[in-house]
Amino acid sequence: MAQASNMKNHQRRRCEQNCVYARYFPSERTEDFQNVHRLFGINNTMKIINSVNQQDRDKTVETLILEARIRNENPVHGPLEVENRLRAEIGKAKKELEIVNKQLQFFMGNNESPSDEGTSKQSARGNFTP
């Protein structure tokens, strides 16, 4: 309920043409604005946007939006939860790749460890008949 009343309050206020937010938060990005406003506040958001060069402001605002979305979706751990999940996925993918590489070595007739590849790879290939 509180979220709905916040949205109504901001929807009643119109940005003037020179408003810093008008460029980054058009009417279809109301939810993004609400998330950024809730996490950083108006004054801090303005300070952050004004602290970067003009050419970097688009990326800065997109970063603020991403951070606010992640914090909204994961209020307790925020971006750390996303990072941990991605690290776990990377670890799982690395293990899967290791298994696939071992299977590939086996099916190619090279059952030796990768450190032994240089010396006996030719002899293993020589025994392999297609």
Side-chain angles (χ1 to χ4, degrees):
M1 277 286 220
Q3 183 178 9
S5 66
N6 281 344
M7 291 178 103
K8 287 180 184 178
N9 287 339
H10 287 293
Q11 286 176 349
R12 281 189 227 145
R13 297 178 191 164
R14 298 280 182 212
C15 277
E16 298 174 10
Q17 285 182 338
N18 61 352
C19 176
V20 174
Y21 295 112
R23 176 179 176 190
Y24 306 111
F25 299 103
S27 60
E28 64 268 6
R29 294 188 89 171
T30 304
E31 186 175 349
D32 289 338
F33 176 76
Q34 291 296 322
N35 289 338
V36 170
H37 174 261
R38 244 180 275 129
L39 182 60
F40 297 105
I42 296 292
N43 290 334
N44 286 333
T45 303
M46 288 287 277
K47 286 177 186 176
I48 292 168
I49 291 172
N50 290 330
S51 71
V52 297
N53 296 329
Q54 187 70 30
Q55 67 268 15
D56 295 332
R57 288 185 180 176
D58 288 338
K59 287 181 182 179
T60 301
V61 171
E62 289 303 316
T63 301
L64 292 173
I65 290 170
L66 180 61
E67 176 87 19
R69 276 185 196 162
I70 290 172
R71 181 57 73 172
N72 189 44
E73 293 169 5
N74 306 294
V76 176
H77 298 290
L80 184 60
E81 184 175 331
V82 174
E83 180 184 351
N84 288 338
R85 185 178 23 147
L86 291 174
R87 285 185 189 272
E89 287 179 29
I90 289 170
K92 183 179 174 184
K94 283 181 178 179
K95 287 179 184 177
E96 186 176 339
L97 180 61
E98 186 179 311
I99 291 169
V100 169
N101 282 332
K102 285 181 181 179
Q103 289 176 340
L104 183 61
Q105 285 178 354
F106 176 78
F107 288 116
M108 290 181 68
N110 186 4
N111 295 334
E112 294 138 20
S113 67
S115 62
D116 297 336
E117 273 186 21
T119 57
S120 57
K121 196 173 198 178
Q122 292 173 350
S123 64
R125 283 188 184 164
N127 296 334
F128 180 73
T129 54

